[in-house]
């Protein structure tokens, strides 16, 4: 049987949820009036201010935070690492399950990315793993990642920096509003079209250090101040056109969150009948969901993926398999959850020692999730998924 989901969207697992041309138009008219197109224009500045005001509503606290726009989530990571002094001879600890942007940003600055196993419950690099790794080797920075948009504990990471002196850069690519900010260190967001807060291409860096904002701007503008090069840098400035889309996206942000929450609750409720064969991670229910990931009983995944696809439903494996299996990263130093460096280059040894990453690879898959699907689509997909699982379970 093939699932009866809207044909336009069949076989897609993610569809960007962007503002319409009409919603962006008033901001484009402002660009026409301002005659300012890039280089820290009025729309970029308005977006940065309004964005932080919106986040302060979600995380009321005494510490004020400041945001600087960049061209992408990758550049948010790259600029922050540069400002943390990361370069040749430095080591940065990164979870092995994440997007390639994380180690690439480190490598492209001439530094070494160390891939570590993740915590089996939270699916990410925790302060405990970082402490264990820091006891084995000198680390110059740690990059915890909000996997699938799930927040990491900023207070615990602040405490880690105070205790060890090692700076933190949280890659909160998709975790906008659910991730709280750091008193010490940076939080990076991606505004890629596929993220819940999509602008097309874009990124943000958030810091409690107001003085850092001018340094971020300098770094995103070829390291220059008044056309004189003061430091290393890149061209990573957000244009006024992207800021126009970002302002329009901010106007509809409450709607974006509400629609995603509605769909997550349908999936969560329907997938209850698949328990204990499958479940949605608790952390996803607290996030503005970007990728709807489901954990399934060990041993079922390859057949399940094939059966679901055969029924006309797209599946995906976002951030999987782990980066340790990607040819470009195969030579990187790896460590287990106890900080122990895995000495052999054999992939089978890495799989065995990085067993939480391996478990995720063997048990986690994604289902279609985009606001344009109807509630009935979400119900149909969930029910087909549950029926398929039960059928497979009884036949094994
Ligand atoms: C975890 C993570 N980090 C970084 C990035 C890079 O963001 P961008 O595509 O905006 O450069 C992504 C993009 O998908 C991501 O998922």
């Amino acid at each position: 049987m093939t699932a009866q989901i809207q044909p336009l969207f069949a076989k897609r697992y993610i569809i960007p949820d962007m503002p319409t041309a009409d919603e962006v138009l008033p901001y484009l008219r402002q660009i026409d009036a301002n005659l300012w197109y890039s280089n820290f224009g009025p729309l970029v500045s308005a977006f940065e201010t309004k964005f932080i005001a919106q986040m302060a509503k979600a995380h009321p606290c005494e510490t004020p935070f400041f945001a600087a726009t960049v061209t992408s989530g990758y550049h948010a990571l790259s600029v922050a690492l540069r400002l943390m002094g990361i370069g040749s001879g430095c080591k940065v600890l990164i979870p092995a399950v994440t997007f390639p942007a994380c180690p690439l940003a480190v490598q492209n600055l001439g530094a070494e990315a160390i891939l570590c196993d993740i915590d089996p419950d939270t699916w990410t690099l925790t302060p405990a793993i970082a402490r264990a790794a820091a006891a084995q080797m000198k680390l110059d920075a740690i990059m915890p990642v909000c996997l699938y948009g799930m927040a990491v504990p900023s207070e615990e990471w602040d405490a880690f920096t105070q205790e060890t002196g090692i700076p933190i850069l949280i890659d909160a690519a998709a975790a906008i509003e659910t991730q709280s900010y750091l008193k010490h260190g940076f939080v990076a967001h991606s505004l890629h079209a596929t993220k819940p807060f999509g602008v097309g291409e874009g990124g943000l860096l958030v810091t409690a250090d107001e003085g850092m904002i001018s340094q971020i701007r300098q770094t995103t503008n070829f390291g220059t101040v008044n056309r004189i090069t003061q430091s290393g840098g890149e061209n990573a400035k957000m244009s006024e056109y992207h800021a126009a889309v970002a302002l329009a996206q901010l106007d509809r942000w409450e709607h974006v969150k509400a629609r995603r929450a509605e769909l997550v609750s349908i999936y969560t409720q329907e997938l209850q009948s698949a328990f204990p064969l499958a479940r949605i991670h608790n952390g996803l229910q607290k996030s503005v969901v970007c990728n709807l990931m489901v954990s399934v009983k060990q041993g079922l995944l390859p057949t399940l993926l094939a059966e679901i696809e055969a029924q006309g439903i797209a599946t995906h494996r976002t951030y999987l398999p782990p980066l340790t299996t990607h040819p470009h990263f195969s030579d990187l130093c790896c460590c287990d959850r106890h900080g122990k460096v895995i000495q052999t280059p054999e992939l089978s040894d890495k799989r065995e020692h990085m067993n939480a990453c391996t478990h995720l690879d063997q048990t986690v898959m994604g289902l279609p999730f985009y606001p344009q699907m109807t509630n009935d689509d979400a119900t149909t997909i969930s029910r087909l998924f549950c029926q398929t699982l039960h059928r497979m379970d009884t036949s094994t």
Side-chain angles (χ1 to χ4, degrees):
M1 189 178 94
T2 304
Q4 294 302 307
I5 55 173
Q6 300 172 78
L8 173 65
F9 303 144
K11 280 292 179 191
R12 291 184 72 172
Y13 66 85
I14 195 164
I15 297 179
D17 180 22
M18 301 289 288
T20 62
D22 284 342
E23 288 167 330
V24 181
L25 195 59
Y27 295 109
L28 294 179
R29 297 237 189 274
Q30 287 183 29
I31 300 178
D32 288 346
N34 295 334
L35 299 177
W36 195 333
Y37 304 95
S38 190
N39 293 50
F40 318 113
L43 273 76
V44 157
S45 166
F47 172 60
E48 290 169 346
T49 308
K50 281 182 148 188
F51 177 85
I52 280 300
Q54 170 72 31
M55 295 308 125
K57 276 195 255 162
H59 301 284
C61 73
E62 283 167 16
T63 313
F65 290 99
F66 305 91
T69 48
V70 290
T71 38
S72 67
Y74 167 81
H75 281 104
L77 299 177
S78 168
V79 166
L81 289 167
R82 230 182 233 283
L83 290 171
M84 289 156 86
I86 299 302
S88 172
C90 294
K91 288 184 165 66
V92 181
L93 191 69
I94 294 174
V97 177
T98 183
F99 194 67
C102 304
L104 284 176
V106 172
Q107 288 183 324
N108 291 346
L109 288 170
E112 188 185 349
I114 312 282
L115 298 178
C116 68
D117 199 9
I118 52 173
D119 174 69
D121 298 325
T122 59
W123 292 358
T124 193
L125 159 55
T126 58
I129 296 174
R131 265 188 205 97
Q136 304 291 326
M137 65 185 102
K138 185 183 171 303
L139 292 170
D140 300 282
I142 315 279
M143 193 191 293
V145 176
C146 299
L147 204 67
Y148 308 122
M150 295 188 286
V152 300
S154 53
E155 304 82 11
E156 286 181 35
W157 282 113
D158 270 331
F160 175 91
T161 299
Q162 282 190 303
E163 170 197 321
T164 62
I166 304 175
I168 304 299
L169 163 59
I170 296 179
D171 180 358
I176 289 192
E177 202 163 306
T178 42
Q179 179 59 54
S180 55
Y181 294 115
L182 288 169
K183 294 198 175 105
H184 315 280
F186 294 96
V187 173
H189 294 305
S190 163
L191 309 183
H192 186 264
T194 51
K195 301 291 187 243
F197 199 115
V199 312
E201 292 278 3
L204 274 164
L205 270 177
V206 180
T207 165
D209 181 353
E210 191 175 8
M212 262 300 159
I213 296 297
S214 56
Q215 291 191 49
I216 296 171
R217 292 207 177 116
Q218 175 178 321
T219 309
T220 61
N221 194 23
F222 308 99
T224 60
V225 178
N226 296 330
R227 288 172 293 104
I228 303 300
T229 315
Q230 303 287 355
S231 65
E234 28 204 302
N235 182 2
K237 305 179 295 293
M238 179 180 271
S239 79
E240 288 288 277
Y241 290 102
H242 286 90
V245 182
L247 283 161
Q249 191 64 293
L250 202 51
D251 292 340
R252 60 193 290 279
W253 180 236
E254 294 304 325
H255 162 78
V256 168
K257 287 187 294 181
R259 179 68 188 131
R260 284 176 189 261
E262 184 177 27
L263 283 175
V264 172
S265 83
I266 295 171
Y267 269 110
T268 307
Q269 196 174 333
E270 290 292 335
L271 262 58
Q272 272 172 12
S273 73
F275 187 80
L277 296 178
R279 74 175 80 179
I280 295 181
H281 196 293
N282 288 342
L284 280 182
Q285 289 155 30
K286 295 183 214 132
S287 323
V288 181
V289 169
C290 182
N291 308 100
L292 192 95
M293 307 310 288
V294 184
S295 321
V296 301
K297 192 177 138 188
Q298 185 110 23
L300 298 180
L301 204 57
T303 316
L304 180 64
L305 285 164
E307 295 229 355
I308 298 287
E309 288 275 342
Q311 294 174 87
I313 296 172
T315 61
H316 62 104
R317 303 253 301 136
T318 298
Y319 307 137
L320 295 168
L323 297 178
T324 34
T325 69
H326 297 208
H328 178 70
F329 300 122
S330 60
D331 290 342
L332 292 187
C333 172
C334 297
C335 63
D336 69 12
R337 286 206 289 293
H338 312 290
K340 194 161 162 271
V341 172
I342 300 159
Q343 297 293 354
T344 72
E346 298 304 321
L347 190 54
S348 54
D349 286 332
K350 290 182 192 164
R351 283 211 171 99
E352 190 187 322
H353 291 288
M354 299 171 87
N355 49 33
C357 287
T358 306
H359 185 72
L360 221 66
D361 192 26
Q362 292 171 347
T363 56
V364 171
M365 60 173 283
L367 286 172
F369 189 83
Y370 42 83
Q372 301 88 339
M373 69 168 55
T374 65
N375 291 357
D376 284 348
D377 288 339
T379 307
T380 307
I381 294 167
S382 310
R383 289 190 182 165
L384 261 157
F385 176 81
C386 294
Q387 284 159 13
T388 311
L389 255 181
H390 286 299
R391 198 179 58 243
M392 283 174 58
D393 192 50
T394 44
S395 65
T396 50

